[in-house]
Amino acid sequence: MDDFHTSQPIFVQIRQRLIEMILRGAVGEGDALPSVRQIAGELSVNPLTVTKAFEALVDIGIVEKRRGLGMFVKTGARGELLAHEREKFLTEDWPRIAAQIAALELDATTLLAKVPAKQGPKP
C-alpha cells in the first residue's frame, strides 16, 4: 500500500486515499479515521506527513479533530466530497482525458466496450 509516485507530494496521495475510503464507504460519517501513527506505520512514512494529509481534510471541512479521540468524518462529508471530486474531475482531469481521446481518435462505442461490467455507465 506504500506505492507512492513522484508526480505528487506523499501527503496529497495519502489525502486522496483517505478521500477514497470515505467515498467508498469504508469509513462512514461520524466514524473515526485510522490514527496518524497507524497510517504512518502501514505506509512507512513520517507521522508529520500523515498529519499534513489530515489537516488538508480538516481545511476542506470533511474531517474534524476531537481532542484526545482522533479524527472523525463529519456528517454530510460524503456528499460534499462527491460534489468536490466531481467538480475537480470535470474541470481538471476530464479536459486532459478528452484531449487524449480526441488525439487517439477513439469513439464512445470503443470506450464503453472497455468499461468493466460492474463499473459501467448508469442508465
Side-chain angles (χ1 to χ4, degrees):
M1 184 169 173
D2 58 352
D3 53 335
F4 296 108
H5 49 83
T6 58
S7 65
Q8 289 182 318
I10 293 174
F11 87 92
V12 171
Q13 295 175 62
I14 294 170
R15 180 192 70 197
Q16 193 59 37
R17 290 178 185 188
L18 292 167
I19 286 171
E20 289 168 6
M21 286 174 61
I22 295 167
L23 289 176
R24 280 193 330 265
V27 180
E29 295 179 0
D31 290 347
L33 288 167
S35 72
V36 168
R37 288 184 183 180
Q38 181 182 352
I39 294 172
E42 287 176 8
L43 300 178
S44 301
V45 298
N46 188 312
L48 292 175
T49 302
V50 179
T51 299
K52 194 170 180 180
F54 277 133
E55 288 173 355
L57 296 176
V58 170
D59 289 346
I60 62 173
I62 60 163
V63 169
E64 63 184 351
K65 185 187 306 187
R66 295 185 189 163
R67 189 177 183 108
L69 297 175
M71 303 296 261
F72 289 78
V73 179
K74 290 175 83 174
T75 301
R78 187 176 183 285
E80 288 182 41
L81 268 178
L82 247 144
H84 177 266
E85 291 297 302
R86 285 176 177 166
E87 182 62 25
K88 180 180 162 208
F89 175 79
L90 291 172
T91 59
E92 296 175 20
D93 300 329
W94 182 246
R96 178 183 42 80
I97 293 167
Q100 187 172 11
I101 289 169
L104 296 173
E105 299 178 6
L106 292 168
D107 59 46
T109 304
T110 303
L111 291 170
L112 291 175
K114 297 295 182 179
V115 175
K118 67 180 185 180
Q119 294 179 357
K122 294 180 181 178

